[in-house]
Amino acid sequence: MSFSLAFIAEHLGLEVFLPPGSAAAEDIEIIQIAALHDAKPQSISFLSDQKRLPELSSTAASAVIISAQQQSQCPIPALISNNPYLSYAQLTELFLPNHPATAGIHPTAVVADSAQVASSASIGPHVTIAADAVVAENCEIGAGSYIGHSSHVGANTVLAANVTLYSDVQIGQHVTIHSGTVIGAQGFGFAPTGKTGADQQAWQKIHQLGGVVIADFVDIGANTCIDCGTLSPTIIEQGVIIDNQVHIAHNCIIGRYTAIAGATSFAGSTVVGEHCIIAGACAIAGHIEIAAGTQIMGMSKVTGSIKQPGSYSSGTGSMPTSQWRKSAVRFTQLDQMEKRIKQLEKQIQQLSTDRND
């Protein structure tokens, strides 16, 4: 791929800055995006972190995306952006390899007679589409994927290879679901029977009947699991982005534009407000609510509702093992220490009272 700097500027809607002696923007050829520190000629880079400003003077990039405040310190051609990181993100789409899908159904795909598949959809090899399922216009269904009974895939949605949609899964428009993801599996619901005999069933399965609803413009990473609801659906609202290996249990509701990083798990019936950011490896208890705009730091354990937005953390950061072992012992002594402190406070208060008398 090759684009002139002038073309990129027009594509992004940005102003071009040319230092004295540089070529015209139409003559500056860009073939790749690269970081400032390892860029080569014909690369374009970006500067969004002020700590990397010293790299600007030594970069070999042919151009860079910067803010107006950094223009006076820029020795190479640049594009001026109010948000260089966002402009970089938009630019990556221009350099994305283009492998357009071909409309039609691959000969090895199995499509039920009652399923509805738009003529503009692309159905890859070994795809299975069950009875009464619907695949709308311009969808791309990757090889080996399965779309269950009565599930609906909205227009312009992409399912990568080996995605599984169980029955009664409703997917909106412009959704991307990456490989290995399973949506609509049975939630983890069991009732104890009180029976413990060798030939008796100790747990009675609670069959999940609610399905899953995923709104428009949702992006779901690889190997993520979203379970169906028990009686009402599990809901992922518009614009949510979900990383790899996330588990969302039955009856959860994830609010609009929330971002969830990898390896985070939600127990059942959790409600997350809109515009939340939940970092990686968090464990979220069930039947709680998290206020809109909340940020939860990585590896946090959330056991109760968060009613006020803000930044929340739990756990301890890494430290030398010998120090951690000492701290772990102290954790077990906290209750005893609290009792001793309260006793000392009472003694100090009594001494103070006696002196005043």
Side-chain angles (χ1 to χ4, degrees):
M1 295 184 184
S2 175
F3 307 97
S4 71
L5 184 61
F7 176 86
I8 294 174
E10 183 178 359
H11 178 77
L12 298 178
L14 301 179
E15 175 189 350
V16 178
F17 164 72
L18 296 173
S22 63
E26 294 80 3
D27 299 327
I28 298 174
E29 183 183 26
I30 303 297
I31 63 172
Q32 64 179 356
I33 307 172
L36 280 170
H37 66 276
D38 62 1
K40 297 177 176 58
Q42 297 185 303
S43 297
I44 186 169
S45 190
F46 68 99
L47 178 59
S48 61
D49 187 346
Q50 192 67 16
K51 292 185 293 186
R52 296 193 173 276
L53 185 59
E55 297 177 12
L56 188 58
S57 62
S58 59
T59 184
S62 294
V64 64
I65 303 172
I66 58 173
S67 67
Q69 292 75 19
Q70 297 156 344
Q71 180 175 329
S72 62
Q73 299 170 272
C74 187
I76 60 174
L79 303 180
I80 308 303
S81 170
N82 292 329
N83 188 336
Y85 190 69
L86 177 59
S87 296
Y88 151 71
Q90 294 167 337
L91 181 58
T92 60
E93 187 172 5
L94 188 63
F95 283 86
L96 188 69
N98 186 17
H99 304 297
T102 302
I105 301 174
H106 193 274
T108 61
V110 177
V111 181
D113 292 340
S114 60
Q116 301 177 43
V117 178
S119 60
S120 58
S122 173
I123 310 300
H126 304 291
V127 168
T128 298
I129 302 177
D132 299 319
V134 177
V135 178
E137 295 79 10
N138 302 313
C139 286
E140 182 179 344
I141 311 300
S145 291
Y146 174 83
I147 299 174
H149 188 281
S150 299
S151 287
H152 185 286
V153 181
N156 301 294
T157 284
V158 176
L159 272 57
N162 300 310
V163 169
T164 298
L165 306 184
Y166 278 61
S167 300
D168 299 309
V169 172
Q170 308 300 310
I171 307 292
Q173 301 183 51
H174 301 280
V175 173
T176 299
I177 305 176
H178 292 278
S179 294
T181 286
V182 177
I183 298 178
Q186 286 283 297
F188 193 67
F190 295 85
T193 64
K195 301 175 182 179
T196 57
D199 59 346
Q200 294 176 312
Q201 185 177 349
W203 298 95
Q204 171 61 49
K205 174 68 177 176
I206 300 171
H207 295 283
Q208 314 291 297
L209 309 173
V212 177
V213 175
I214 295 177
D216 300 340
F217 297 102
V218 170
D219 194 294
I220 302 173
N223 295 316
T224 282
C225 293
I226 302 175
D227 294 341
C228 68
T230 305
L231 299 176
S232 57
T234 300
I235 298 174
I236 311 297
E237 295 185 348
Q238 179 172 318
V240 170
I241 54 175
I242 301 172
D243 199 0
N244 302 336
Q245 298 180 320
V246 170
H247 177 226
I248 298 176
H250 58 277
N251 293 106
C252 287
I253 300 175
I254 309 299
R256 297 185 307 159
Y257 311 114
T258 283
I260 303 169
T264 286
S265 292
F266 297 82
S269 300
T270 293
V271 178
V272 179
E274 61 185 32
H275 294 285
C276 291
I277 298 176
I278 301 176
C282 290
I284 315 295
H287 300 273
I288 67 171
E289 296 185 9
I290 297 176
T294 296
Q295 297 183 17
I296 300 176
M297 305 303 288
M299 300 186 70
S300 293
K301 180 180 180 182
V302 182
T303 58
S305 291
I306 297 175
K307 299 182 179 180
Q308 296 295 326
S311 180
Y312 294 82
S313 304
S314 72
T316 59
S318 62
M319 62 186 74
T321 300
S322 59
Q323 183 180 348
W324 180 87
R325 285 173 175 163
K326 293 177 182 178
S327 297
V329 173
R330 297 291 187 268
F331 296 153
T332 66
Q333 298 171 341
L334 288 176
D335 184 61
Q336 182 182 0
M337 291 171 63
E338 181 189 21
K339 291 177 181 178
R340 292 175 62 188
I341 290 171
K342 286 183 176 179
Q343 185 178 10
L344 289 170
E345 287 176 340
K346 288 181 180 179
Q347 292 175 356
I348 292 171
Q349 185 178 10
Q350 184 61 49
L351 288 171
S352 178
T353 302
D354 292 344
R355 287 178 180 175
N356 290 334
D357 291 342

